[in-house]
């Protein structure tokens, strides 16, 4: 069986000096290898092909037969690594908290401890006739949420 650690080392070699980053590597018991990469400006198919060929040049089909799939982290899929938070700062995201709240807003900032989400809420100021929209920041640690994902907006 091909080791996940081996594939990660090969991918890390290819990533050196590039703006891409590794999101996930999975290797199933029947040697199906799936590699997901991402980039702040999106992933180009030519780069997936280049990485696929690079991995194939480093693994021997004589020793072990395998199936290889290289692609980008799926849009609309939950974030898996911290760098995905970093590249989506300033963009709309959806957050599902561990207590079941689903929030949408702008990812204001992120660091290794957690992130801040800015949401819009209707608030009726005291003495006002009508409610008005206000921005409200809420900070989360990563262990307080089930997932965060990029919100696709077709407006």
């Amino acid at each position: 069986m091909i080791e996940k650690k081996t594939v990660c080392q090969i991918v890390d070699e290819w990533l050196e000096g590039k703006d891409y980053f590794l999101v996930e590597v999975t290797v199933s018991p029947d040697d199906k290898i799936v590699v997901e990469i991402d980039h702040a400006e999106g992933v180009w198919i030519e780069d997936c092909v280049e990485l696929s060929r690079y991995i194939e040049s480093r693994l021997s089909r004589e020793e072990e037969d395998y199936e290889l799939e290289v692609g980008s982290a799926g849009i609309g899929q939950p974030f898996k690594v911290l760098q995905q938070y970093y590249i989506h700062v300033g963009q709309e995201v959806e957050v599902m908290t561990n207590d079941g709240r689903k929030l949408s807003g702008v990812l204001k900032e992120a660091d290794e401890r957690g992130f801040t989400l800015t949401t819009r809420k209707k608030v009726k100021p005291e003495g006002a006739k009508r409610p008005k929209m206000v921005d409200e920041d809420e900070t989360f640690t990563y262990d307080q949420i089930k997932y965060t994902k990029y919100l696709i907006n077709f407006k």
Side-chain angles (χ1 to χ4, degrees):
M1 183 170 158
I2 295 172
E3 296 283 327
K4 178 179 176 176
K5 182 176 81 173
T6 304
V7 177
C8 287
Q9 288 171 339
I10 294 168
V11 173
D12 285 342
E13 289 171 13
W14 184 83
L15 290 172
E16 204 168 300
K18 295 179 175 69
D19 290 332
Y20 281 97
F21 59 91
L22 179 62
V23 173
E24 187 173 42
V25 170
T26 56
V27 181
S28 68
D30 61 345
D31 282 336
K32 178 176 180 182
I33 303 166
V34 179
V35 177
E36 289 183 8
I37 58 173
D38 208 346
H39 187 284
E41 296 170 11
V43 176
W44 296 92
I45 188 72
E46 294 84 0
D47 292 323
C48 291
V49 170
E50 182 184 319
L51 175 55
S52 179
R53 289 182 178 148
Y54 185 81
I55 294 169
E56 287 176 352
S57 74
R58 303 294 307 270
L59 295 176
S60 171
R61 289 194 188 269
E62 304 294 320
E63 293 174 25
E64 191 102 39
D65 192 28
Y66 60 88
E67 180 183 343
L68 177 62
E69 183 180 309
V70 176
S72 65
I75 194 161
Q77 295 295 316
F79 296 169
K80 296 174 184 168
V81 296
L82 187 56
Q83 276 184 284
Q84 288 177 298
Y85 284 87
Y86 293 155
I87 68 172
H88 287 94
V89 167
Q91 298 177 344
E92 281 194 69
V93 295
E94 177 181 284
V95 174
M96 174 65 81
T97 64
N98 287 334
D99 61 7
R101 293 185 304 143
K102 190 184 232 181
L103 306 166
S104 296
V106 175
L107 183 59
K108 183 177 182 179
E109 57 190 15
D111 61 28
E112 32 319 302
R113 294 180 310 275
F115 64 94
T116 301
L117 183 71
T118 302
T119 57
R120 303 228 0 118
K121 296 191 179 196
K122 277 188 181 180
V123 175
K124 187 175 177 186
E126 197 173 314
K129 291 183 179 180
R130 298 176 191 243
K132 67 177 191 171
M133 296 298 286
V134 296
D135 288 344
E136 186 176 284
D137 288 349
E138 192 167 351
T139 301
F140 298 93
T141 59
Y142 298 107
D143 61 353
Q144 292 177 306
I145 59 163
K146 288 183 182 173
Y147 68 77
T148 301
K149 59 185 179 180
Y150 177 68
L151 192 59
I152 303 166
N153 199 337
F154 295 104
K155 290 180 185 175

